Amino acid sequence: MKKYRGIFFDWDGTAVISRKAPVEEAVAAMKGLLDKGVKLVIVSGTTYENIAGGKLEEYLTEEELNHLYLGLGRGAYNYRFEKGKPVVFADRIPDREGILRIHDAAYGIHRELLEAYGLETDVIFCRPNYCKIDLMAGKDRGEQLFMQEDEIGSLKAILNGNGIKGGLGELLQIACKVGQKHGIEMKATCDAKYLEAGISDKSDNVDMILGELEKRFQIKGEECCFWGDEFVGLEEGIYGSDSFMITGKTKTGDFFDVSSVNGKRPKNVQQLGGGVECFLNFLKRQGEEQQ
């Protein structure tokens, strides 16, 4: 097995089955690598409070934490640990005026979808530099917040039924055009249930943290791997949120998908399936290889 110096991975659906699931097995697998100085990077759209209940540092020693990084909030926050405490070393947080422009744009998208297409949505505003627009407001994912098997087909049916014949591509174009009206270069992504619209995405996280690893430890993209459960294509040329970990800086690394959802992936992504168990087994084997 190839030994990696840096391992980037999604949290929900990849390292844990849900935000309220026990984290002990994931942390134990991580410790085996952190002990050996391997850099682990959690890349997630959520906030620090939703990673191990906001208490991740309580599971790890100060020395182990020195090798852990987090890229959170869909590009908004990048963390490292100093003296055992999380510290934001880079962010993409707008000022008050900037966040209000994002909110106005999100409401504009909601209004455009309702006024022009009769598509009812809900908007979640309380995010650091983006908003979530719920395209399936009547569907509750419960504790499993990652994309479900039936959601891609359901979204396509909803869009088509409301006259958005261009599918997800047209939906993203609508979001970006509304963003331009509000002076925002919108980065819009979709995991089927939610359209997320703001000023950054996971690509900003991985590029920033990989740059940090290269500067401090001379770690290159080809020495890293990237794991997630949302690489699958939603339609031709448009892929899930974890595909944004593939950037000009990271493309020489190895990419793995633990989802069993059928569909196309970016050409450099290996679909392994097996969910959380597959990923944690990889961490354990990698820890053994690093002996």
Side-chain angles (χ1 to χ4, degrees), residues 78-143:
N78 297 288
Y79 293 86
R80 62 179 176 232
F81 287 83
E82 297 177 5
K83 297 182 179 180
K85 299 297 181 182
V87 174
V88 175
F89 69 90
D91 68 55
R92 289 290 307 279
I93 303 300
D95 58 17
R96 179 71 61 84
E97 181 181 346
I99 196 65
L100 287 172
R101 281 202 305 270
I102 294 170
H103 288 184
D104 287 342
Y107 177 74
I109 295 167
H110 161 81
R111 184 181 178 91
E112 177 75 9
L113 293 176
L114 182 59
E115 189 172 46
Y117 302 97
L119 177 56
E120 296 183 349
T121 64
D122 282 341
V123 184
I124 302 169
F125 291 103
C126 53
R127 295 295 184 270
N129 67 3
Y130 69 98
C131 292
K132 297 181 71 165
I133 300 170
D134 191 344
L135 304 169
M136 302 182 189
K139 181 183 173 81
D140 184 4
R141 282 176 169 171
E143 293 302 321

Side-chain angles (χ1 to χ4, degrees), residues 3-268:
K3 292 193 288 187
Y4 296 97
R5 297 183 66 196
I7 300 173
F8 292 66
F9 57 97
D10 178 49
W11 186 251
D12 296 325
T14 302
V16 295
I17 193 65
S18 76
R19 291 177 186 172
K20 293 187 178 180
V23 300
E24 284 76 12
E25 186 177 1
V27 171
M30 291 166 60
K31 287 174 75 74
L33 288 161
L34 295 170
D35 283 339
K36 300 175 178 66
V38 177
K39 311 309 174 192
L40 299 186
V41 184
I42 298 172
V43 183
S44 175
T46 191
T47 60
Y48 190 81
E49 290 71 27
N50 287 322
I51 305 291
K55 300 178 180 179
L56 185 58
E57 68 269 25
E58 296 181 9
Y59 292 90
L60 300 165
T61 67
E62 184 174 327
E63 176 58 31
E64 290 166 346
L65 288 168
N66 288 336
H67 306 292
L68 179 64
Y69 292 78
L70 297 94
L72 303 180
R74 198 177 170 272
Y77 300 108
N78 297 288
Y79 293 86
R80 62 179 176 232
F81 287 83
E82 297 177 5
K83 297 182 179 180
K85 299 297 181 182
V87 174
V88 175
F89 69 90
D91 68 55
R92 289 290 307 279
I93 303 300
D95 58 17
R96 179 71 61 84
E97 181 181 346
I99 196 65
L100 287 172
R101 281 202 305 270
I102 294 170
H103 288 184
D104 287 342
Y107 177 74
I109 295 167
H110 161 81
R111 184 181 178 91
E112 177 75 9
L113 293 176
L114 182 59
E115 189 172 46
Y117 302 97
L119 177 56
E120 296 183 349
T121 64
D122 282 341
V123 184
I124 302 169
F125 291 103
C126 53
R127 295 295 184 270
N129 67 3
Y130 69 98
C131 292
K132 297 181 71 165
I133 300 170
D134 191 344
L135 304 169
M136 302 182 189
K139 181 183 173 81
D140 184 4
R141 282 176 169 171
E143 293 302 321
Q144 297 188 338
L145 301 182
F146 47 90
M147 187 171 63
Q148 306 299 302
E149 179 78 46
D150 63 333
E151 287 182 344
I152 297 174
S154 296
L155 174 62
K156 290 180 178 179
I158 289 170
L159 295 178
N160 188 64
N162 285 274
I164 303 177
K165 303 301 183 181
L168 184 56
E170 183 178 348
L171 178 68
L172 297 179
Q173 288 177 5
I174 292 169
C176 291
K177 286 180 180 178
V178 173
Q180 289 175 354
K181 292 179 181 178
H182 292 272
I184 298 172
E185 186 177 344
M186 188 71 78
K187 290 193 173 183
T189 60
C190 186
D191 72 348
K193 178 172 169 57
Y194 292 107
L195 171 67
E196 297 182 338
I199 60 172
S200 64
D201 56 36
K202 283 186 175 183
S203 62
D204 296 278
N205 288 130
V206 296
D207 280 351
M208 179 59 69
I209 295 178
L210 182 56
E212 180 79 356
L213 297 184
E214 185 170 6
K215 180 176 68 175
R216 297 184 67 189
F217 308 106
Q218 295 73 56
I219 294 175
K220 305 290 187 180
E222 57 266 29
E223 298 176 292
C224 300
C225 59
F226 303 80
W227 291 72
D229 65 295
E230 291 186 2
F231 285 100
V232 69
L234 301 177
E235 62 183 43
E236 187 64 33
I238 299 175
Y239 299 98
S241 61
D242 289 327
S243 71
F244 288 85
M245 290 195 286
I246 306 171
T247 74
K249 289 185 178 181
T250 69
K251 63 183 180 181
T252 55
D254 298 324
F255 295 83
F256 303 98
D257 188 350
V258 299
S259 171
S260 298
V261 173
N262 293 322
K264 293 179 65 176
R265 270 81 175 164
K267 62 181 180 180
N268 51 340

